[in-house]
Amino acid sequence: MPRPIPINVLSVRILPNADPALLASLAVRPGHRSLGIFTTDCDDASYAALDEATKKADVAVAYASSMYGGAKNASTALAGEFIGILSAPCPEDVRSGLAAAVAYLEGGACFYAADGDGAVVYFAHCISRTGSYLSGLAGVPEGTAMAYLIAPPLEAAVGLDAALKAADVELKVFYGPPTATNFAGGLLTGLQAACQAACDTFAATVQEIAASPLTY
């Protein structure tokens, strides 16, 4: 059985009334003056968590980025692999958004180890309905079902091919190798059942490669 890899939220801060220069630099929405900032040791699950926050609170994603190299190569103790910034009209909204994001990460959105020692990991996460953030990235309406698929470069390419052939899904975003964390993958959309089938196929393909990498 694939082993889930827990995610650690490393740091969280709220700026109730952020400086106008910072707000302008982040190009936040008009009327948004409060920011919520957090870092974690897992980027892709955290992008999905940001999207969840947009569904649960009156917040927008002001900034989101992966750190280069990945969590095991983090430059400092609290930098991790990801930083996300939410904006909102007031601190209470930011707090609600951060709480939703953290709860999402604690609720099971995570990478999995494809082999026994976790040398190969992957993210195959089915989102039943997207919020404003992932919808914007993929260019689809809010509420669209999505398969969020990420793995090391070769595994991702083969896994995406298998997922696209196994289910009635469409590749909306391709993350070509190498990403900032030296992975690859994509965002696929379709009916929820099709997205789940794509996730299952992607996961099985990555596991197969991890078990027998030189068989072709």
Side-chain angles (χ1 to χ4, degrees):
M1 289 291 293
R3 173 174 56 85
I5 301 173
I7 297 169
N8 297 302
V9 177
L10 302 174
S11 58
V12 185
R13 281 294 184 274
I14 293 175
L15 302 180
N17 190 22
D19 189 89
L22 180 58
L23 296 174
S25 296
L26 292 170
V28 302
R29 292 182 179 179
H32 283 207
R33 61 181 180 84
S34 300
L35 300 177
I37 311 171
F38 69 107
T39 63
T40 77
D41 62 359
C42 177
D43 61 345
D44 291 295
S46 297
Y47 289 119
L50 285 177
D51 188 67
E52 181 71 9
T54 68
K55 296 186 289 184
K56 297 294 180 61
D58 183 17
V59 294
V61 177
Y63 187 82
S65 182
S66 301
M67 305 300 182
Y68 289 105
K72 291 184 178 180
N73 304 301
S75 56
T76 63
L78 301 180
E81 187 174 279
F82 167 88
I83 182 170
I85 303 178
L86 295 169
S87 69
C90 65
E92 291 75 15
D93 292 329
V94 163
R95 189 176 299 277
S96 296
L98 288 173
V102 171
Y104 193 75
L105 294 173
E106 293 176 343
C110 65
F111 271 74
Y112 285 83
D115 55 356
D117 60 2
V120 176
V121 300
Y122 64 90
F123 186 68
H125 190 62
C126 183
I127 298 169
S128 59
R129 59 181 189 89
T130 54
S132 62
Y133 178 58
L134 289 180
S135 297
L137 291 181
V140 297
E142 291 186 37
T144 300
M146 177 177 288
Y148 194 144
L149 308 177
I150 299 289
L154 181 145
E155 294 92 317
V158 179
L160 282 175
D161 181 72
L164 289 165
K165 291 174 178 175
D168 185 13
V169 290
E170 182 178 357
L171 179 61
K172 288 294 186 178
V173 178
F174 175 62
Y175 298 117
T179 63
T181 57
N182 297 316
F183 274 56
L187 304 179
L188 286 61
T189 60
L191 295 177
Q192 184 174 348
C195 288
Q196 185 60 61
C199 288
D200 294 342
T201 300
F202 184 86
T205 302
V206 175
Q207 293 165 26
E208 179 186 6
I209 295 171
S212 185
L214 296 179
T215 300
Y216 63 96

